[in-house]
Amino acid sequence: MSVTDENLAELFEQYKDEVRETIGTLDNELVAIEQDPTSSETIFSLFRNMHSLKGSSKMFNVDNIANIAHRLEDLMSMIDKNNAILSKHPKIIDLLFKGNDIFRDIIARLEDDISYTTMTADHVAFVGEIQSQIDKINRRDSHLVDAARKLLDDLESLMPSLEEIDTEGLKKDMADMASGLALVTLEEEGANQIRFNYNGVDLTEDVRLMDENLTLFKDGKGTADTAKVFVEAANRLYKNLAEVANEDAMQLIAELGDGLGLFEEKELEMDQMMVEFFGSMLGELKEKFHVEVEAPAQKAAGGTRGGGGAVKEPQVKTIRVDEAKIDLFLESVGKLITKSEILNHLQFSFRQAGIDTGLLRDFGSVSRTISNDIVNLQRSIMEVRQVEMNNILKKFPRLVRDISHKIGKEAEMNITGERVPIDKSLLDDVEQAMVHIVRNAVDHGLEEPAAREAAGKPRRGSVNIRVTPEEAAILIEVADDGRGLDIEKIKTKAVERGVLTPEQAEVISEKEAEMLIFNSGLSTKDQATDLSGRGVGMDVVMTNLKKWNGEVLINNQPGQGLTVGLRLPVTNTLLTKEAIMLRVGESTFCLPLEFVNEIVTVPALAVHRHKDGAVFRHRDMVISVIDLKWLLGLPRAGAFYEPSEAEDLSRETHVFIILRGKTESRKSILADEILGQQKIVIKEFELETFRKLPYFNGLTLLGDGRVVLILDSDKLLDS
């Protein structure tokens, strides 16, 4: 089957979508199995997904994915039959992650080059890595190793019946054999599970340091710092051994001491000769050490995407629809809503003209039915535009795992609210913003394992994502249990970068200081890395939120953690809302009801001049008045709080709309008249000139054909 066949183009697109979905599922399952290597359910799910990936790829002749998936399927089949393999060979997980990244790269390249389906040299090399791992598993579970272990058991059972003089030598031979077995079966890939000691002295850390740094020199990656760490570890090992050495090891220890002395006195370089000398010495010394094998620590299962069970995704049947077609359909529905408002306007005109009440009643009933059906139709189509948050959230457990491994931290991720819907047009920007927040949570927020233990916290930190639906928005919160924000350090960095003056830093509030992390170029890291430190990440978060009229919330608990919240509109598309119509001077405006806290009528005598504006008291709160006529440059026949002497102030009243914003509002706008309430279709400004209008967020078309601007409560409150 050729993927270049035009008749198969659509099927091939579906295949790529399925592979992307499988890659995401595999990422989550690998994170889960890394935290609980004994989960039979997750292991079997991994095996099943590899099998499906192999089958579908063979169908479309995508040989590179098919061949790699086939070998990984063989590996997973072995693990499925014996769950203990993962505990014995922890680097298998890294191999599986690498395979999944290769799948992801192949699918990305297929977008530009449909012929990228054959095995490359890198793919062949990776298949070789898989085969090597399979061979190691087979070798380490071979009859030879089993027979050696059985011999040890048999000898141990015979020990009581032997003479004491015979048992001493036998004990030593058995210890050497046990150490050799441990090294053969675990040293290459389970080094962190082996502990070395000699006559009661634990030498593990120094041996590991020497091994790690020797490997760096062998790979050509050694530096002066690497050599310094190696020599310090070797000196500690020499001193510890010299104090407790038996006669059989004295010669080796003396040679190690002579080598170190020569290296330091002559200021030699760690060239190939020195690497071979120290490597040989360390290998011979290991044969003298007592080797113990630690049982792999069982990692606690996390929450969603971090638990021990396989991640089960519900099966949903889907069809591919061009997004532009949905937008066009929504626009048509918006026009229908406007037409239904025309029917309401006609109904009012008929009533004024004295049309028969029975006919008018029937007309009103039909008008309401049409209006409700159109709104329901619009909502249904808008739901088609929406996707579940899980489309981006499923990527974050892998992100947290990779970052924490890279910087030497331990972290788990828990996610709730994956099923909350969000408009597809917002998805990319939300994902980009969350990547920066999650990355900062792991890199900046979480402490190193030793520091966490010293602070009485678990070694493994947690990053939690919680998505909560609200009335017309969704709240996305990213919380970590790390160190929190250091406000004083943020202020210091802000002054250094010129964001604040020293005087401003003295008087700025804690909340204002917290928000400084979103300033471009401001970072609390002293040295930039490829993860963070350049001060651009959180700036991207704020830029994306402003683009969609979103809001940032911060809850900082020093020493306990930080929560960053993102509040975003559910949709960015054509939206129907209930709104009130108000007249200000000769102009008519709309204000969505969600921005209206309360409408009050206030006697003129209760309105007082304050500085350059006016205030009144309501429910024990002082409410300030926003002068729309002044803000918008509308004609003013005289300020309302400056009545003429001829007016009877005891009878004069004013209507105020108390605004509701993102924070508690104590501001209002004066309306000359409330004209009523109706459904409006909010349309974005298409012309750049209108987008520059400071206090509006769109326009709507009324039933009588008038175009009316929609007031933006948040911008008014900030005025």
Side-chain angles (χ1 to χ4, degrees):
M1 182 180 292
S2 172
V3 297
T4 57
D5 189 335
E6 290 184 6
N7 296 327
L8 296 174
E10 186 173 349
L11 285 175
F12 189 60
E13 289 300 315
Q14 292 179 11
Y15 158 77
K16 288 190 290 185
D17 287 341
E18 289 173 4
V19 173
R20 291 188 190 97
E21 185 176 345
T22 302
I23 289 170
T25 301
L26 287 171
D27 268 342
N28 293 334
E29 290 176 336
L30 288 171
V31 171
I33 204 65
E34 187 174 43
Q35 295 187 354
D36 181 9
T38 63
S39 173
S40 300
E41 185 181 0
T42 310
I43 289 171
F44 179 70
S45 182
L46 279 165
F47 169 67
R48 186 181 63 244
N49 281 316
M50 286 295 178
H51 179 77
S52 300
L53 195 58
K54 177 192 72 174
S56 59
S57 299
K58 280 187 174 180
M59 184 183 300
F60 286 94
N61 290 337
V62 185
D63 294 336
N64 41 21
I65 292 182
N67 291 336
I68 293 171
H70 178 63
R71 296 309 290 149
L72 288 175
E73 179 192 9
D74 291 343
L75 181 59
M76 288 309 306
S77 177
M78 298 175 70
I79 296 168
D80 185 44
K81 294 173 183 175
N82 181 6
N83 292 5
I85 288 175
L86 275 178
S87 298
K88 293 179 181 178
H89 310 284
K91 286 197 175 179
I92 289 178
I93 298 292
D94 292 329
L95 196 66
L96 293 168
F97 272 120
K98 183 177 179 181
N100 212 30
D101 288 338
I102 291 174
F103 296 149
R104 187 178 283 109
D105 176 68
I106 292 172
I107 287 296
R109 294 197 184 200
L110 281 173
E111 291 296 324
D112 300 320
D113 182 6
I114 201 170
S115 65
Y116 189 72
T117 58
T118 56
M119 297 283 285
T120 66
D122 288 340
H123 297 160
V124 173
F126 179 65
V127 168
E129 286 184 55
I130 301 171
Q131 186 58 52
S132 175
Q133 182 63 64
I134 291 173
D135 292 342
K136 288 170 187 173
I137 294 171
N138 286 329
R139 183 171 67 247
R140 288 171 183 165
D141 292 333
S142 67
H143 293 297
L144 178 60
V145 173
D146 290 340
R149 286 177 176 153
K150 185 176 185 301
L151 176 60
L152 283 175
D153 292 338
D154 292 344
L155 287 172
E156 189 174 2
S157 64
L158 288 172
M159 291 283 286
S161 62
L162 298 176
E163 296 292 335
E164 185 175 347
I165 191 170
D166 297 322
T167 59
E168 289 303 320
L170 188 54
K171 281 181 180 178
K172 181 181 181 304
D173 292 339
M174 289 173 65
D176 290 343
M177 188 175 186
S179 298
L181 280 175
L183 290 171
V184 167
T185 58
L186 286 168
E187 186 171 27
E188 184 177 345
E189 295 212 357
N192 290 336
Q193 292 172 231
I194 300 174
R195 299 205 69 83
F196 300 92
N197 66 70
Y198 186 83
N199 285 348
V201 178
D202 190 351
L203 309 169
T204 307
E205 295 306 317
D206 290 328
V207 172
R208 287 179 183 173
L209 278 173
M210 292 174 70
D211 269 329
E212 290 169 5
N213 289 287
L214 280 173
T215 301
L216 288 174
F217 279 112
K218 288 175 183 176
D219 295 340
K221 299 177 182 178
T223 64
D225 288 338
T226 310
K228 181 180 178 182
V229 172
F230 174 81
V231 172
E232 287 175 353
N235 273 314
R236 285 194 300 269
L237 182 69
Y238 168 71
K239 290 175 183 177
N240 286 329
L241 287 175
E243 293 177 2
V244 296
N246 292 335
E247 188 175 345
D248 64 330
M250 288 296 291
Q251 182 64 33
L252 278 173
I253 296 169
E255 288 182 29
L256 175 62
D258 292 342
L260 284 169
L262 182 65
F263 182 82
E264 292 177 311
E265 287 174 15
K266 301 293 185 182
E267 297 182 353
L268 300 177
E269 299 290 334
M270 280 292 286
D271 55 17
Q272 191 62 35
M273 183 180 298
M274 294 306 299
V275 170
E276 289 180 5
F277 167 75
F278 283 122
S280 174
M281 290 299 304
L282 186 59
E284 291 185 51
L285 284 169
K286 282 182 182 179
E287 295 178 6
K288 305 294 182 182
F289 300 157
H290 177 63
V291 179
E292 295 176 348
V293 181
E294 295 176 335
Q298 295 301 319
K299 299 180 181 179
T304 305
R305 302 290 180 268
V311 181
K312 294 184 177 179
E313 301 288 345
Q315 297 298 313
V316 180
K317 293 184 178 180
T318 60
I319 58 172
R320 296 171 63 87
V321 181
D322 188 341
E323 194 173 335
K325 293 180 180 178
I326 298 176
D327 290 340
L328 183 62
F329 192 83
L330 268 174
E331 187 176 344
S332 299
V333 172
K335 292 177 181 178
L336 285 176
I337 293 173
T338 303
K339 295 295 190 295
S340 73
E341 289 301 321
I342 293 176
L343 292 178
N344 291 335
H345 182 72
L346 286 174
Q347 184 182 358
F348 176 77
S349 300
F350 293 160
R351 186 180 294 110
Q352 295 292 101
I355 299 292
D356 178 72
T357 54
L359 182 61
L360 192 61
R361 185 175 58 250
D362 292 343
F363 182 88
S365 176
V366 172
S367 176
R368 284 191 298 274
T369 300
I370 291 174
S371 177
N372 291 335
D373 287 346
I374 292 172
V375 170
N376 289 335
L377 177 62
Q378 187 200 33
R379 286 174 180 165
S380 298
I381 296 301
M382 285 174 65
E383 288 178 3
V384 173
R385 278 191 58 92
Q386 293 178 339
V387 294
E388 292 179 346
M389 279 294 296
N390 191 44
N391 280 270
I392 57 175
L393 295 183
K394 63 185 179 183
K395 303 174 184 178
F396 285 96
R398 171 72 190 274
L399 177 67
V400 168
R401 181 259 179 196
D402 288 350
I403 294 174
S404 59
H405 279 222
K406 185 173 185 177
I407 61 180
K409 294 183 180 180
E410 296 180 17
E412 65 181 8
M413 165 143 282
N414 304 295
I415 299 174
T416 56
E418 309 100 309
R419 304 300 174 199
V420 174
I422 186 173
D423 193 294
K424 190 175 184 295
S425 64
L426 302 174
L427 214 57
D428 289 342
D429 284 336
V430 171
E431 179 180 0
Q432 187 182 29
M434 289 185 65
V435 165
H436 289 295
I437 296 172
V438 170
R439 184 183 292 161
N440 272 25
V442 179
D443 193 22
H444 285 273
L446 297 184
E447 309 93 334
E448 288 71 19
R452 290 181 62 84
E453 287 185 327
K457 296 181 179 181
R459 280 181 61 85
R460 182 185 301 155
S462 65
V463 179
N464 303 316
I465 296 178
R466 181 171 60 251
V467 184
T468 309
E470 297 182 345
E471 184 177 352
I474 60 171
L475 177 62
I476 306 168
E477 294 175 293
V478 180
D480 65 71
D481 64 347
R483 57 174 63 92
L485 295 178
D486 185 336
I487 299 299
E488 292 306 316
K489 188 172 185 180
I490 291 173
K491 290 181 182 179
T492 301
K493 290 289 184 179
V495 172
E496 289 176 3
R497 299 288 192 276
V499 178
L500 293 178
T501 64
E503 293 75 21
Q504 289 173 325
E506 288 293 327
V507 298
I508 193 173
S509 70
E510 190 167 299
K511 284 295 179 185
E512 290 171 324
E514 291 169 357
M515 296 302 291
L516 289 172
I517 64 174
F518 296 101
N519 278 64
S520 179
L522 182 65
S523 174
T524 55
K525 271 211 165 184
D526 297 320
Q527 188 173 357
T529 67
D530 57 348
L531 281 178
S532 62
R534 294 173 175 81
V536 295
M538 299 303 275
D539 177 46
V540 171
V541 174
M542 186 60 75
T543 301
N544 287 356
L545 281 180
K546 286 181 178 177
K547 179 179 177 182
W548 302 120
N549 195 30
E551 176 190 10
V552 176
L553 308 169
I554 288 184
N555 179 16
N556 181 42
Q557 296 180 316
Q560 300 301 314
L562 175 70
T563 301
V564 179
L566 310 178
R567 181 173 281 120
L568 290 154
V570 173
T571 180
N572 186 49
T573 57
L574 200 67
L575 199 58
T576 303
K577 291 186 178 181
E578 290 289 337
I580 61 169
M581 313 298 298
L582 59 141
R583 181 178 63 81
V584 179
E586 298 301 319
S587 303
T588 301
F589 301 105
C590 280
L591 182 64
L593 273 179
E594 65 189 79
F595 296 152
V596 177
N597 195 34
E598 193 175 355
I599 300 176
V600 296
T601 302
V602 180
L605 288 172
V607 182
H608 306 285
R609 182 164 186 161
H610 178 69
K611 295 182 180 179
D612 295 329
V615 297
F616 62 89
R617 183 172 291 278
H618 178 67
R619 301 185 191 277
D620 296 326
M621 292 192 303
V622 176
I623 309 295
S624 60
V625 178
I626 299 170
D627 189 343
L628 271 185
K629 290 181 180 177
W630 179 81
L631 271 181
L632 304 179
L634 301 175
R636 303 173 74 202
F640 65 89
Y641 49 81
E642 294 177 347
S644 65
E645 294 181 1
E647 286 181 310
D648 183 356
L649 296 181
S650 63
R651 295 183 181 179
E652 182 73 13
T653 59
H654 297 298
V655 176
F656 295 97
I657 303 168
I658 300 176
L659 299 176
R660 176 186 295 141
K662 294 170 183 173
T663 57
E664 184 182 0
S665 170
R666 295 195 177 189
K667 291 186 179 182
S668 66
I669 56 176
L670 170 69
D672 290 327
E673 184 181 0
I674 303 296
L675 301 175
Q677 176 181 331
Q678 71 174 63
K679 288 185 180 69
I680 62 168
V681 177
I682 299 177
K683 300 190 71 174
E684 288 187 347
F685 295 122
E686 294 183 3
L687 297 177
E688 186 64 31
T689 304
F690 286 107
R691 289 178 185 169
K692 295 178 181 178
L693 292 174
Y695 303 108
F696 304 98
N697 64 0
L699 54 84
T700 190
L701 184 67
L702 300 185
D704 58 6
R706 285 182 297 160
V707 175
V708 175
L709 294 171
I710 302 167
L711 292 168
D712 187 321
S713 174
D714 291 316
K715 292 175 182 176
L716 288 172
L717 289 172
D718 292 338
S719 64

